[in-house]
Amino acid sequence: MSLLHPDRLFPVDTRGRDLARDLFATIKDLPIVSPHGHTDPRWWGENETFSDPSSLLFTPDHYLTRMLTSQGVSFAAMGIGPDAEPDPRRIWKTFADHYYLFAGTPSRMWVDQALEDVFGVSERLSPKTANDAYDAIAEKLPQPEFRPRALYERFGISAIATTDSALDDLRWHRKALEDNWQGRVLPTYRPDAVIDPDAPGFARNLDRLGELTNCDTGRWQGYLDAHRARRAFFIEMGATASDHGHPTPRTADLSAADAETLFDRIRAGRPESGDAELFRAQMLTEMARMSVEDGLVLQIHAGSSRSHSDEVREAFGTDRGFDIPVPVSFTEALRPLLNAVGLDPRLTVVLYTLDESTYTRELAPLCGVWPCLLLGPPWWFHDSYEGMRRYRAGVTETAGFWNLAGFNDDTRALCSIPARHDVARRVDCAYLADLVTTHRLDEAEAFAIAPLLANGLAERAFRL
Amino acid sequence: MSLLHPDRLFPVDTRGRDLARDLFATIKDLPIVSPHGHTDPRWWGENETFSDPSSLLFTPDHYLTRMLTSQGVSFAAMGIGPDAEPDPRRIWKTFADHYYLFAGTPSRMWVDQALEDVFGVSERLSPKTANDAYDAIAEKLPQPEFRPRALYERFGISAIATTDSALDDLRWHRKALEDNWQGRVLPTYRPDAVIDPDAPGFARNLDRLGELTNCDTGRWQGYLDAHRARRAFFIEMGATASDHGHPTPRTADLSAADAETLFDRIRAGRPESGDAELFRAQMLTEMARMSVEDGLVLQIHAGSSRSHSDEVREAFGTDRGFDIPVPVSFTEALRPLLNAVGLDPRLTVVLYTLDESTYTRELAPLCGVWPCLLLGPPWWFHDSYEGMRRYRAGVTETAGFWNLAGFNDDTRALCSIPARHDVARRVDCAYLADLVTTHRLDEAEAFAIAPLLANGLAERAFRL
Amino acid sequence: MSLLHPDRLFPVDTRGRDLARDLFATIKDLPIVSPHGHTDPRWWGENETFSDPSSLLFTPDHYLTRMLTSQGVSFAAMGIGPDAEPDPRRIWKTFADHYYLFAGTPSRMWVDQALEDVFGVSERLSPKTANDAYDAIAEKLPQPEFRPRALYERFGISAIATTDSALDDLRWHRKALEDNWQGRVLPTYRPDAVIDPDAPGFARNLDRLGELTNCDTGRWQGYLDAHRARRAFFIEMGATASDHGHPTPRTADLSAADAETLFDRIRAGRPESGDAELFRAQMLTEMARMSVEDGLVLQIHAGSSRSHSDEVREAFGTDRGFDIPVPVSFTEALRPLLNAVGLDPRLTVVLYTLDESTYTRELAPLCGVWPCLLLGPPWWFHDSYEGMRRYRAGVTETAGFWNLAGFNDDTRALCSIPARHDVARRVDCAYLADLVTTHRLDEAEAFAIAPLLANGLAERAFRL
């Protein structure tokens, strides 16, 4: 008995299903390339045993906790916050009691597959099976083959990127390198805390940036030099990309003098209205200019209203499932950056969206003509069966396949990584089969494109 | 010969179709729960014979008249306005002459099914069949089993909500109660006329609200008390929900002093620019606060530009098919209300949209985390085969099933009610079958979820 | 061996595919009606031999060149701009080398079909086949049956519209008429250059408009009279429509005095902020008023940000694939025009969008009630298999079929015209088959509607 049907996510018609099966057989065992994600670098550097099923599989995964929140389950019961339930088994029981809520969601597919493929648990999680599942997992966690690096190898990962503050010392990446471990764990330069004037502690962050780099971050040129220095350090530690999460995708290309004046106002703590947004906008263009020089792939994601509940943010912190998308438009927003450096062959910019109306309206048309632009995969709420189908159907006809950045899993849920890539590969094979059965693509082409979608485009986009 | 194929709206593949059939068999006869609609309370209270086929089935249904308007048919010919055609048979003939226009629309499915299932008319409406259909219906209308209460019972309705002005005396609801009729007809508190400063006669409406409640609606606290009193009256008469149709979903949470000052400006007839919008915004939050106290479910729909043609509104009134959606965004708009009361377990807010781009971008993410929020069904232009499919595909992966408010028919077209629920149930069974045949859901789960979609979620959401 | 499967784009299920085949058989040979396009009038007037494969099939088609641009191919290599490659065979080789990029795009279907059906080239374009394909085409071009008028006849075109500046002398249309050629080539009145104050050389254009018409285009009434005169000239030369490409769909209905004052400010070169947008808005309403009088069908398309790269525009001109859509909303924008003349039975307005979120939100609801409005076909980035399916699924349920303007190919790529209509007809037959197999339409109705979608609606909409 299994939770996982071998034909899951494939077309229902016989010809399409058979073709999807055949395509999938050729790519299912290809290495996992994970160029954008949120696993904890400490796991890879320290390689310690995971403590318990709940803190590994449930509590930190806000895809999961948000669903329970929506049905009135308290954060405390999920092991989060001031009065958190201390017993991981009871937390697990709460999760299992509400697991029925995930029917029809991608989270269900990911958890099912993680339980079965990683831990050999083949009964669906429920109030009845909660204890047995907990025991089965808890028994395995202390074994050496369930430590992080063993999982990396068992999952067939060939490279995985983390996301790291510009101020991070990357000690765990260094540790992994020093151990001469064969795994490839790349840091990603994420400088939001030193670029966004609205970020908590922004002034202190800039001071710290100055200390780390011996640059005068009190002045515009020194501040830019400090970025250059940190980027060089990240590159030394293996980074191939930077990542920028802004409220909007707005970019700017001010004159050097205007940029300096803007920086001075912000640094002096006397910003005018709109300065924070304008500074973020200007800095995307500055980052793109540095990318032209140092080769880091520039990732831009925008359009999430973070921490929608003040009360939840104050009591339980960020990343609690309360980040909600807003409408976004890229066309005019990206124009300054693109006109500054968009035709330079050395530049790669990967765009992500949470507003699917931008797929056919803006992103496929933009990525289908600007040489520097690649479209990132369906992302966050959209890396799911239906979300991926909408993405392929919306994007391919205008942008083709070669203007895409390939799949990435964007997750902190380590054990779900193989499942996420499995889902993406299945949906892509189903899509390719659909192209063939409607005679929009030759069968041989489908077999040639399948491995690109599985990992080839990601390797190419992120220069791995 | 029949207009209605038993497999209509089911999947085309054999396995999916058979499963959809089996699922549908288990739910097709479940009671109809109709928690949001626009049937005339007088029908239920008075239980009089309907006068003729045209005024029952065609003229008041702006889904139907708008299509004829779009092809140049005059309102007069449809029996509307100053020089209205007086002969219902000739109006019917005009409808039948243009019935071909509805090919491919849900209106066609609803009318076909109403004609066949309610009146035994199995020939599609056309110039040729117009007279016979008219006669067949006209012959039946005087019979006791075609009076409103008999139809309620025959349709298998277990509860139906009407939509009623806050100033309404609910005499027909009272009459139905006093008659000890077994039917359940619930009023819904719709206070737009006393909340929207742009509503015609707003000042007079507030005076009247004061008279009805013995509250001083010249002052902010008295005005709020008057709402409390009317809500209590509606609850006494069976109401479980309020309904709010605003141009935008904007909410506000002003200080008590600011709210009072705002009210005073408006009440004095000296609003500043933006005051009307701000007052509507503030009142949604006030209504939510009252809902926390009295338990009425708060329904918000927004984003329709009403009466797009001034000339049509002036000559023929509102609700003539000229309400056109505009872009809408909920994320920032709802933030004040949600931060005020959104974590209170006593609150239920049902959201409706006419802008489908909000499904995946905002509504599923919002309802998938805020405990008070439920997403209403595809609505107005979207309660159709394709509209429902887009809704399920867009919403389920992020919000699951339990954050939905279930189906409602939202109609004034009495005889279409069974057809509308039939269409919804069929499309939902097709969707569930699709989940099973692609191995995203177990078959047993599909059978458990089907009755929830048919009426269980609606009963739960509306506290019936 | 063939590039073209006879069942391409049809449903995969047997019943649907067989029905689509049967439907397609009845319409595939119907005349091509092309009421909106961009073929060069000189072709039709002069009827000269095309010079070479590259300049006929590749270089001017920005759908094709933009894809190569996106992958870093230089304009020069594609034969465009200052240092353009002079050898058409080498340009063709560059195209063929990158033809794999079009996998999954409609361009691939169009080029494949043009090569095979028009030129007998049945091997897919690739580095290997480039030379043979070039030779095969180059050999045919000098033959009389490959001249423009012969192709018109061979393609089964019954009418084709071009798009022409208001200042054009229409000499090639005149030539075609004077030759008594049986082909029907209609000019379209495109007055953007004399309506948009932001257009290059606007003031000179107005002077020229005055010279051509003997009207005083220094004054508002004279300017309007000049439009009337040019429209009359276009109508004399066969025009049945005007076409307006504005940044936004905004319309206005100023008083005569305000319109005159606005014109005076603009004509004097002293526009205030917002005047250009307001003038374009006012002129759409003025054009609609003239349409009421003279019967030209008014086409409005909006929402493209033109020439997104300044550098590309300056070095290589407009229409290089850098026109990118932006969000658009029609509901409030069209209200002034519609309230001015929207109920006049003499008016027809065809709306086009590049923002698919407007299909269900605004365009189907608008066209489903206003008698003057027709919805144009999926367009530009969206006249593709998936784009057309989204259009049908999104539009039909609210607007039906009779509020649509039918298909048009909107292309300057002459040899792709049969392929574009073939794709549209196939997708429409697949859609009709889907309606029948899900029992939303009778089979007989599908056969009646298919020819309307193929060309009947276009003939009706454009008064051909």
Side-chain angles (χ1 to χ4, degrees):
Chain A
M1 140 107 222
S2 166
L3 292 169
L4 308 172
H5 194 286
D7 288 334
R8 62 194 182 277
L9 309 186
F10 289 164
V12 175
D13 70 287
T14 314
R15 165 104 176 87
R17 189 192 57 212
D18 290 351
L19 180 53
R21 274 183 194 157
D22 292 347
L23 288 164
F24 186 66
T26 67
I27 62 162
K28 74 187 172 63
D29 296 322
L30 289 179
I32 285 177
V33 174
S34 175
H36 179 115
H38 300 274
T39 56
D40 188 340
R42 184 171 184 156
W43 296 339
W44 310 117
E46 203 173 45
N47 200 34
E48 274 302 320
T49 294
F50 290 108
S51 69
D52 66 88
S54 293
S55 67
L56 173 61
L57 295 165
F58 172 62
T59 306
D61 187 344
H62 54 70
Y63 281 76
L64 299 177
T65 59
R66 77 194 309 275
M67 181 65 95
L68 272 64
T69 304
S70 78
Q71 292 293 311
V73 177
S74 72
F75 282 101
M78 298 189 284
I80 297 166
D83 304 306
E85 166 62 49
D87 179 0
R89 185 180 294 270
R90 294 186 64 172
I91 296 169
W92 185 259
K93 182 63 167 44
T94 295
F95 176 38
D97 285 350
H98 296 88
Y99 192 63
Y100 71 95
L101 295 171
F102 295 96
T105 73
S107 294
R108 207 298 268 273
M109 301 206 75
W110 301 329
V111 172
D112 276 5
Q113 188 164 355
L115 292 187
E116 175 155 339
D117 279 356
V118 183
F119 297 104
V121 174
S122 297
E123 297 286 333
R124 176 155 300 124
L125 211 52
S126 74
K128 278 189 199 163
T129 64
N131 257 317
D132 287 353
Y134 189 89
D135 290 338
I137 300 164
E139 185 188 60
K140 293 201 172 63
L141 288 182
Q143 302 172 18
E145 57 265 45
F146 289 87
R147 294 200 179 189
R149 293 184 186 176
L151 290 176
Y152 177 103
E153 282 149 30
R154 181 169 153 206
F155 292 169
I157 298 172
S158 69
I160 190 165
T162 60
T163 302
D164 311 275
S165 164
L167 303 175
D168 197 287
D169 62 10
L170 305 183
R171 76 177 69 176
W172 301 115
H173 296 84
R174 185 187 304 277
K175 178 71 163 54
L177 288 171
E178 286 169 358
D179 287 356
N180 285 319
W181 174 47
Q182 64 154 29
R184 191 171 175 198
V185 179
L186 319 172
T188 301
Y189 189 64
R190 175 80 175 250
D192 297 357
V194 292
I195 278 185
D196 182 358
D198 294 330
F202 178 70
R204 267 176 293 117
N205 296 341
L206 258 58
D207 295 343
R208 178 81 188 121
L209 180 65
E211 290 158 27
L212 285 171
T213 58
N214 286 319
C215 294
D216 178 2
T217 57
R219 295 176 171 277
W220 174 236
Q221 285 307 327
Y223 169 75
L224 293 179
D225 285 342
H227 275 290
R228 285 187 191 98
R230 291 307 288 169
R231 293 168 63 102
F233 170 62
F234 271 65
I235 290 167
E236 194 190 314
M237 301 302 292
T240 69
S242 69
D243 181 33
H244 307 269
H246 287 198
T248 74
R250 185 174 162 199
T251 65
D253 187 21
L254 302 175
S255 70
D258 286 348
E260 185 164 358
T261 308
L262 172 64
F263 178 81
D264 290 344
R265 279 201 304 272
I266 287 167
R267 196 66 173 109
R270 289 194 297 272
E272 298 174 2
S273 167
D275 272 2
E277 169 81 353
L278 182 59
F279 188 71
R280 291 189 296 262
Q282 177 65 21
M283 283 308 297
L284 284 181
T285 305
E286 299 294 345
M287 289 290 111
R289 285 204 183 94
M290 292 185 198
S291 283
V292 167
E293 298 297 328
D294 66 19
L296 286 185
V297 173
L298 180 79
Q299 299 176 82
I300 302 176
H301 50 268
S304 178
S305 178
R306 302 279 176 172
S307 297
H308 203 250
S309 166
D310 299 336
E311 186 178 330
V312 169
R313 189 193 61 238
E314 283 153 27
F316 307 101
T318 58
D319 295 326
R320 292 304 175 200
F322 280 84
D323 298 345
I324 312 290
V326 294
V328 73
S329 180
F330 292 89
T331 304
E332 294 304 332
L334 294 179
R335 197 190 264 262
L337 183 155
L338 292 170
N339 272 286
V341 288
L343 297 173
D344 194 301
R346 292 169 295 178
L347 181 64
T348 299
V349 177
V350 177
L351 302 174
Y352 299 87
T353 193
L354 288 166
D355 179 350
E356 291 180 311
S357 74
T358 59
Y359 283 162
T360 66
R361 188 180 61 215
E362 303 178 38
L363 292 170
L366 281 165
C367 296
V369 73
W370 280 101
C372 65
L373 294 181
L374 295 178
L375 182 54
W379 191 62
W380 204 328
F381 296 114
H382 307 313
D383 60 342
S384 55
Y385 176 81
E386 300 286 358
M388 289 172 183
R389 283 159 52 102
R390 285 191 295 266
Y391 174 87
R392 291 280 173 223
V395 159
T396 313
E397 294 186 322
T398 293
F401 291 105
W402 280 263
N403 289 306
L404 309 180
F407 182 68
N408 64 59
D409 52 71
D410 183 36
T411 193
R412 63 200 71 218
L414 174 59
C415 295
S416 78
I417 289 177
R420 287 169 190 260
H421 287 262
D422 177 80
V423 166
R425 290 174 183 190
R426 287 174 178 276
V427 177
D428 285 341
C429 288
Y431 173 68
L432 291 170
D434 188 39
L435 288 179
V436 173
T437 56
T438 52
H439 309 288
R440 290 179 282 161
L441 198 70
D442 297 343
E443 202 169 301
E445 293 176 298
F447 280 92
I449 292 169
L452 286 173
L453 304 187
N455 68 15
L457 291 175
E459 280 184 338
R460 175 176 176 257
F462 288 90
R463 306 180 178 188
L464 297 171
Chain B
M1 140 109 222
S2 166
L3 292 169
L4 309 171
H5 194 286
D7 287 335
R8 62 192 183 277
L9 310 185
F10 288 164
V12 174
D13 71 286
T14 315
R15 165 104 176 86
R17 189 192 55 212
D18 290 351
L19 180 53
R21 273 183 194 156
D22 291 347
L23 288 163
F24 185 65
T26 68
I27 62 162
K28 72 187 174 63
D29 296 323
L30 289 179
I32 285 177
V33 174
S34 176
H36 179 114
H38 299 275
T39 56
D40 188 341
R42 183 169 186 158
W43 297 339
W44 310 117
E46 201 172 46
N47 199 33
E48 274 301 320
T49 294
F50 291 107
S51 69
D52 67 88
S54 294
S55 67
L56 173 60
L57 295 166
F58 172 62
T59 307
D61 187 345
H62 54 71
Y63 282 76
L64 299 177
T65 58
R66 77 193 308 275
M67 181 66 95
L68 273 64
T69 303
S70 77
Q71 292 292 311
V73 177
S74 72
F75 283 101
M78 299 189 284
I80 297 167
D83 304 306
E85 166 63 47
D87 178 1
R89 184 180 293 269
R90 294 186 65 172
I91 297 169
W92 186 259
K93 181 63 164 47
T94 295
F95 176 38
D97 285 350
H98 296 87
Y99 193 63
Y100 71 95
L101 295 172
F102 294 96
T105 73
S107 294
R108 209 291 272 273
M109 302 206 74
W110 299 331
V111 172
D112 276 5
Q113 188 164 354
L115 292 187
E116 176 155 339
D117 280 356
V118 184
F119 297 103
V121 174
S122 297
E123 298 286 332
R124 175 154 302 124
L125 210 53
S126 74
K128 277 189 199 163
T129 64
N131 257 318
D132 287 352
Y134 188 90
D135 290 338
I137 300 164
E139 184 190 60
K140 293 202 171 62
L141 289 182
Q143 301 173 19
E145 56 267 44
F146 288 88
R147 293 199 179 190
R149 293 185 185 175
L151 290 176
Y152 176 103
E153 282 148 33
R154 180 169 154 205
F155 291 169
I157 298 172
S158 69
I160 190 165
T162 59
T163 302
D164 310 276
S165 165
L167 303 175
D168 196 287
D169 60 10
L170 305 183
R171 76 177 69 175
W172 301 113
H173 296 84
R174 186 187 303 277
K175 178 72 164 52
L177 288 171
E178 287 170 357
D179 286 357
N180 284 319
W181 174 48
Q182 64 153 31
R184 192 171 175 198
V185 180
L186 318 172
T188 300
Y189 188 64
R190 175 80 176 250
D192 297 357
V194 291
I195 279 185
D196 182 358
D198 294 331
F202 178 70
R204 267 176 292 116
N205 296 341
L206 259 57
D207 294 344
R208 177 82 187 118
L209 180 65
E211 289 159 26
L212 285 172
T213 57
N214 286 319
C215 294
D216 178 2
T217 56
R219 295 176 172 277
W220 174 234
Q221 286 307 329
Y223 169 74
L224 293 179
D225 286 341
H227 274 291
R228 286 188 190 97
R230 291 308 287 168
R231 294 169 64 101
F233 170 62
F234 271 66
I235 291 167
E236 194 190 315
M237 301 302 291
T240 69
S242 70
D243 181 34
H244 306 269
H246 286 198
T248 74
R250 186 174 162 199
T251 66
D253 187 21
L254 302 176
S255 70
D258 286 349
E260 185 165 358
T261 308
L262 172 64
F263 179 81
D264 290 344
R265 280 201 304 271
I266 286 167
R267 196 63 173 111
R270 288 193 297 272
E272 298 174 2
S273 167
D275 271 1
E277 169 80 353
L278 182 58
F279 188 72
R280 291 188 295 261
Q282 177 65 22
M283 283 308 296
L284 283 181
T285 305
E286 299 295 346
M287 289 289 112
R289 285 204 183 93
M290 292 185 199
S291 284
V292 167
E293 298 298 328
D294 66 19
L296 285 185
V297 172
L298 180 78
Q299 299 176 84
I300 302 176
H301 51 267
S304 179
S305 177
R306 302 279 176 172
S307 297
H308 203 249
S309 166
D310 298 336
E311 185 178 331
V312 169
R313 190 193 61 240
E314 283 154 26
F316 307 101
T318 58
D319 295 326
R320 292 303 175 201
F322 280 84
D323 298 345
I324 312 289
V326 293
V328 74
S329 179
F330 292 89
T331 304
E332 294 304 332
L334 294 180
R335 198 190 262 262
L337 183 156
L338 291 170
N339 273 286
V341 288
L343 296 173
D344 194 301
R346 292 169 293 178
L347 182 64
T348 298
V349 177
V350 178
L351 302 174
Y352 299 87
T353 193
L354 288 166
D355 179 350
E356 291 180 312
S357 74
T358 59
Y359 283 162
T360 66
R361 188 180 62 215
E362 304 178 37
L363 292 170
L366 281 165
C367 296
V369 75
W370 280 101
C372 66
L373 294 181
L374 296 178
L375 181 54
W379 190 63
W380 204 327
F381 295 115
H382 307 313
D383 59 342
S384 55
Y385 176 81
E386 300 286 357
M388 290 173 183
R389 283 158 54 103
R390 284 192 296 266
Y391 173 87
R392 291 281 172 223
V395 158
T396 312
E397 294 186 323
T398 293
F401 292 106
W402 280 264
N403 288 306
L404 309 179
F407 182 69
N408 65 57
D409 52 72
D410 182 37
T411 193
R412 63 200 72 217
L414 174 58
C415 294
S416 78
I417 289 178
R420 286 169 191 260
H421 288 261
D422 177 80
V423 166
R425 291 174 183 190
R426 285 174 178 276
V427 177
D428 285 341
C429 288
Y431 174 68
L432 291 170
D434 188 39
L435 288 178
V436 173
T437 55
T438 52
H439 310 288
R440 289 180 282 161
L441 198 69
D442 297 343
E443 202 169 302
E445 293 175 299
F447 280 92
I449 292 170
L452 286 173
L453 305 187
N455 67 16
L457 291 175
E459 279 183 338
R460 175 177 177 256
F462 288 90
R463 305 179 178 188
L464 296 172
Chain C
M1 140 109 223
S2 165
L3 292 169
L4 308 173
H5 194 286
D7 287 334
R8 62 194 182 277
L9 309 185
F10 289 164
V12 175
D13 70 286
T14 314
R15 165 102 175 90
R17 189 191 57 213
D18 290 351
L19 180 53
R21 272 183 195 156
D22 292 346
L23 288 163
F24 185 66
T26 68
I27 63 162
K28 73 187 173 65
D29 296 324
L30 289 179
I32 285 177
V33 174
S34 176
H36 179 114
H38 299 275
T39 56
D40 188 341
R42 183 169 185 159
W43 295 340
W44 310 118
E46 201 173 47
N47 200 34
E48 274 300 319
T49 293
F50 290 108
S51 69
D52 68 88
S54 294
S55 67
L56 173 62
L57 294 166
F58 172 62
T59 307
D61 187 344
H62 55 71
Y63 281 77
L64 299 176
T65 60
R66 78 192 308 274
M67 181 65 96
L68 273 65
T69 303
S70 78
Q71 291 293 309
V73 177
S74 72
F75 283 100
M78 298 188 284
I80 297 166
D83 305 305
E85 166 62 48
D87 178 0
R89 184 180 293 269
R90 294 187 63 172
I91 296 169
W92 186 259
K93 182 62 167 44
T94 295
F95 176 38
D97 285 350
H98 296 88
Y99 192 62
Y100 71 95
L101 295 171
F102 295 96
T105 72
S107 294
R108 205 299 268 271
M109 301 205 75
W110 300 329
V111 172
D112 276 6
Q113 188 164 354
L115 292 187
E116 176 155 339
D117 280 355
V118 184
F119 298 104
V121 174
S122 297
E123 298 286 332
R124 177 155 300 125
L125 211 53
S126 75
K128 278 188 197 162
T129 64
N131 257 318
D132 287 352
Y134 188 90
D135 290 337
I137 300 164
E139 184 190 62
K140 293 202 173 60
L141 289 182
Q143 302 171 18
E145 57 267 44
F146 288 87
R147 293 201 178 188
R149 293 185 185 175
L151 290 176
Y152 176 103
E153 283 149 29
R154 182 169 153 205
F155 292 169
I157 298 172
S158 69
I160 190 165
T162 60
T163 303
D164 310 276
S165 165
L167 303 175
D168 197 286
D169 60 11
L170 305 183
R171 76 176 70 176
W172 302 114
H173 296 86
R174 185 187 303 277
K175 179 71 163 53
L177 287 172
E178 286 170 358
D179 287 357
N180 285 319
W181 174 47
Q182 65 152 31
R184 191 169 174 199
V185 180
L186 318 172
T188 301
Y189 189 64
R190 174 81 175 250
D192 296 358
V194 291
I195 278 184
D196 181 358
D198 293 331
F202 178 70
R204 266 176 295 115
N205 296 342
L206 258 58
D207 295 342
R208 178 80 188 120
L209 180 65
E211 290 158 26
L212 285 172
T213 57
N214 287 319
C215 294
D216 178 2
T217 57
R219 296 175 171 279
W220 174 235
Q221 286 307 329
Y223 169 74
L224 293 179
D225 285 342
H227 275 290
R228 285 188 191 98
R230 292 307 288 168
R231 294 169 63 102
F233 169 62
F234 271 65
I235 290 168
E236 194 190 315
M237 302 301 291
T240 68
S242 70
D243 181 33
H244 306 270
H246 286 198
T248 74
R250 186 174 161 199
T251 65
D253 187 21
L254 303 176
S255 70
D258 286 349
E260 185 164 359
T261 308
L262 173 64
F263 179 81
D264 290 344
R265 280 200 304 272
I266 287 167
R267 196 64 174 110
R270 287 194 297 272
E272 297 175 3
S273 167
D275 271 2
E277 169 80 354
L278 182 59
F279 188 72
R280 291 190 295 262
Q282 177 65 21
M283 283 307 296
L284 283 180
T285 305
E286 299 294 344
M287 289 289 113
R289 285 204 183 93
M290 292 185 199
S291 283
V292 167
E293 298 297 327
D294 66 20
L296 285 185
V297 172
L298 180 78
Q299 298 176 83
I300 302 176
H301 50 268
S304 178
S305 178
R306 303 279 176 172
S307 297
H308 203 249
S309 166
D310 299 336
E311 186 178 330
V312 168
R313 189 192 61 239
E314 282 153 26
F316 307 102
T318 58
D319 296 326
R320 292 303 175 201
F322 280 83
D323 298 344
I324 312 289
V326 294
V328 73
S329 179
F330 292 89
T331 303
E332 295 303 333
L334 294 179
R335 197 190 263 264
L337 183 155
L338 291 170
N339 272 286
V341 287
L343 296 174
D344 193 301
R346 292 169 294 177
L347 181 64
T348 298
V349 177
V350 178
L351 302 175
Y352 299 87
T353 193
L354 287 166
D355 180 350
E356 292 180 310
S357 74
T358 59
Y359 284 161
T360 66
R361 188 181 61 216
E362 304 177 35
L363 292 170
L366 282 165
C367 296
V369 73
W370 280 101
C372 65
L373 294 181
L374 295 178
L375 182 55
W379 190 63
W380 203 327
F381 296 115
H382 307 313
D383 59 342
S384 55
Y385 176 81
E386 300 286 358
M388 290 173 183
R389 283 159 53 103
R390 285 192 295 267
Y391 173 87
R392 291 281 172 222
V395 159
T396 313
E397 295 187 322
T398 294
F401 292 106
W402 280 264
N403 289 305
L404 309 179
F407 182 68
N408 65 57
D409 52 72
D410 183 37
T411 193
R412 64 199 72 217
L414 173 60
C415 295
S416 77
I417 289 176
R420 287 169 190 259
H421 288 261
D422 177 80
V423 166
R425 291 174 183 191
R426 286 173 178 276
V427 177
D428 285 340
C429 288
Y431 174 67
L432 291 170
D434 188 39
L435 289 178
V436 173
T437 56
T438 52
H439 309 289
R440 290 179 281 162
L441 198 70
D442 298 342
E443 202 169 303
E445 294 176 297
F447 280 92
I449 292 170
L452 285 174
L453 305 187
N455 67 15
L457 291 175
E459 279 183 338
R460 175 176 176 257
F462 287 91
R463 306 179 178 188
L464 297 172

